[in-house]
Amino acid sequence: MVVVKLSKVVETKDKRRWSPIFNLANLVKRTKTCAIDPSISDKDYLNAFLEPVVDAGRIKARGGKPFELDKSRTSRILGGKADVPRALRKALSRFGLEAETAKCFDAFLSDCFDLTYFDQFADELICSLDTTVPLERELSERLPALTNIPNEFFSCALIASLKACNLNKNSQTIWQNGTGMLSIEVGDILSYGFGRARAEKSIVVVPVNNTFDTEITWCHEAADAPLVSDKTLHGKWLKRMLASGTDSASIAARIAAELASRGVLPRGAAVRGEASIPMYELGTIARIENNRAVFFLIALSEFDEVNRAHATKGSIYETVLKLLVAYDELGQGLDMHMPLFGSGLSRAGLSHQESFDVITKCITENRGLVHGKLFITVLPEDEHKLDLES
């Protein structure tokens, strides 16, 4: 793992581990790893987990109906996009709620939670608590005495989680140096590029192949040499562009015009059917703009004869460096959001951790080129693949 040296760099004051903060969403996710039935839906599991406090607190939905979270609200809560429901928070002032909740946990522990994992679960939960946070410090002092009483352990943890803010803090500063800052964030990078116009645009980095193809392969049956996969960030960006009212030919023309306007010349040509198209050096950047962002399309990989993308581990560092040079020259101090490079269909063979380490190393060693806020953006489903305690 790369160790980032922060000489003459102002470190962030937030010294938290990059591990899930203690709240309802992350407590539920932790417990579900020990579910008796791993296939249980998030909706059913969350409602089962909340049932003890719902019963103990006599919590009802509007109109006196039984309290139950639907699929949409479950998704928002577990995604950290919605806070604890008001009805649950309101019940926290009820006298003796924790003791009553503990009595109601029998059904959950017998039907949903595999108690053979309880000791390990309890130890890991206690060790994950951040004692610099008052709520978590209090919990870290109480839970060890309850590790032999699962009902009371879960009641204590659940009620504490209902007091905590459930809205995830999704970014952490790695270093700050003058006007330059490097952070890691969890989210959808394309959310910065589409939607309502913003007062100040962001730069959104999209890795593409070095011929800047704009055709997505939709039908696979007769496609001997498919082009851009709609599973890649390249393909997802193209889909969003097409949905906004443009077409593949127009996007290709804009890319060609932008590169020509800066005097960027191709290094050769590639064959697409009966035509040939320009091929550029890896690290070449084409800028495409909309009302929300400036997209830096960066040539990360090269297609082979059957249009499979290829990149190398060694090329990733150089590509990131070229991105930083472009950011220095063309970024105008805008925030820049970039994904992990080389961990997907570019076939560079990097794990998510290796990609993060290479990117962080390059940016830190060349931080003089960073004159704005630079974010490494990681998908929520990939967050657990990174260990940032270095």
Side-chain angles (χ1 to χ4, degrees):
M1 181 180 297
V2 175
V3 177
V4 180
K5 297 182 179 179
L6 301 175
S7 57
K8 298 183 180 180
V9 177
V10 179
E11 294 186 65
T12 174
K13 294 181 180 179
D14 185 359
K15 292 292 188 179
R16 291 180 63 95
R17 305 170 303 278
W18 186 263
S19 59
I21 59 176
F22 180 81
N23 58 20
L24 176 61
N26 289 318
L27 178 61
V28 172
K29 291 175 186 176
R30 282 179 180 274
T31 63
K32 196 180 178 189
T33 63
C34 305
I36 293 174
D37 177 11
S39 67
I40 187 173
S41 70
D42 287 343
K43 171 183 173 295
D44 290 343
Y45 190 85
L46 176 58
N47 280 297
F49 187 64
L50 292 175
E51 187 174 356
V53 73
V54 169
D55 290 346
R58 298 180 176 85
I59 299 169
K60 300 291 183 181
R62 290 181 180 178
K65 296 180 180 179
F67 180 88
E68 185 178 50
L69 299 172
D70 61 20
K71 183 178 179 181
S72 175
R73 200 165 188 192
T74 295
S75 177
R76 289 182 56 77
I77 289 173
L78 295 186
K81 296 179 180 179
D83 207 352
V84 172
R86 187 177 302 176
L88 294 175
R89 282 261 172 83
K90 188 176 180 180
L92 294 178
S93 60
R94 189 179 184 90
F95 178 76
L97 179 67
E98 185 175 316
E100 289 300 313
T101 299
K103 295 177 183 177
C104 296
F105 250 107
D106 286 340
F108 173 81
L109 293 178
S110 62
D111 298 341
C112 299
F113 188 88
D114 189 339
L115 283 171
T116 59
Y117 297 112
F118 176 73
D119 289 343
Q120 180 181 350
F121 166 82
D123 288 344
E124 290 180 356
L125 177 60
I126 293 170
C127 290
S128 75
L129 297 172
D130 185 349
T131 55
T132 65
V133 178
L135 177 67
E136 296 189 40
R137 181 172 62 250
E138 179 184 352
L139 199 58
S140 71
E141 293 170 351
R142 294 192 59 203
L143 288 181
L146 303 176
T147 53
N148 292 322
I149 318 170
N151 291 49
E152 294 186 19
F153 184 97
F154 273 105
S155 177
C156 179
L158 172 57
I159 289 177
S161 76
L162 298 180
K163 297 176 182 178
C165 177
N166 194 62
L167 300 174
N168 279 343
K169 176 183 177 182
N170 66 348
S171 67
Q172 178 179 333
T173 300
I174 298 173
W175 55 254
Q176 185 171 349
N177 184 25
T179 60
M181 185 176 77
L182 174 63
S183 299
I184 181 167
E185 63 181 358
V186 178
D188 174 13
I189 193 170
L190 291 182
S191 67
Y192 297 102
F194 297 94
R196 293 183 180 179
R198 300 175 65 191
E200 183 173 79
K201 296 181 179 182
S202 296
I203 296 170
V204 176
V205 180
V206 179
V208 300
N209 63 311
N210 66 340
T211 46
F212 294 89
D213 281 280
T214 60
E215 293 285 345
I216 299 175
T217 296
W218 299 107
C219 180
H220 300 275
E221 182 175 340
D224 292 333
L227 288 173
V228 181
S229 168
D230 63 350
K231 304 299 183 184
T232 63
L233 184 57
H234 184 181
K236 291 176 182 177
W237 176 78
L238 285 172
K239 285 199 294 185
R240 297 291 288 271
M241 290 293 289
L242 296 174
S244 66
T246 188
D247 56 58
S248 297
S250 298
I251 298 171
R254 290 175 63 184
I255 292 172
E258 202 283 320
L259 291 170
S261 71
R262 292 173 24 234
V264 179
L265 300 176
R267 66 169 176 83
V271 177
R272 293 289 183 269
E274 297 180 357
S276 64
I277 60 174
M279 178 187 296
Y280 295 86
E281 294 285 348
L282 294 180
T284 299
I285 292 173
R287 297 172 299 167
I288 297 294
E289 192 169 1
N290 66 7
N291 65 352
R292 190 173 173 85
V294 182
F295 296 101
F296 275 23
L297 308 181
I298 185 164
L300 178 70
S301 61
E302 182 172 336
F303 278 179
D304 61 19
E305 65 279 1
V306 291
N307 295 338
R308 290 176 301 189
H310 291 276
T312 65
K313 292 184 179 181
S315 70
I316 299 300
Y317 185 100
E318 295 302 320
T319 300
V320 176
L321 180 56
K322 290 179 180 179
L323 173 63
L324 295 179
V325 171
Y327 183 51
D328 183 35
E329 295 177 351
L330 308 170
Q332 297 183 312
L334 298 178
D335 293 355
M336 184 165 76
H337 304 267
M338 63 178 296
L340 295 177
F341 288 173
S343 60
L345 293 181
S346 66
R347 294 181 176 81
L350 272 67
S351 67
H352 290 75
Q353 184 67 53
E354 289 171 332
S355 175
F356 174 80
D357 290 343
V358 170
I359 291 172
T360 304
K361 182 176 189 292
C362 182
I363 296 172
T364 301
E365 291 178 346
N366 298 281
R367 55 179 173 258
L369 298 173
V370 180
H371 301 290
K373 297 177 181 178
L374 202 165
F375 298 87
I376 302 172
T377 307
V378 181
L379 289 170
E381 58 264 34
D382 293 332
E383 179 186 359
H384 72 282
K385 300 174 184 177
L386 296 179
D387 177 7
L388 306 182
E389 298 184 57
S390 60

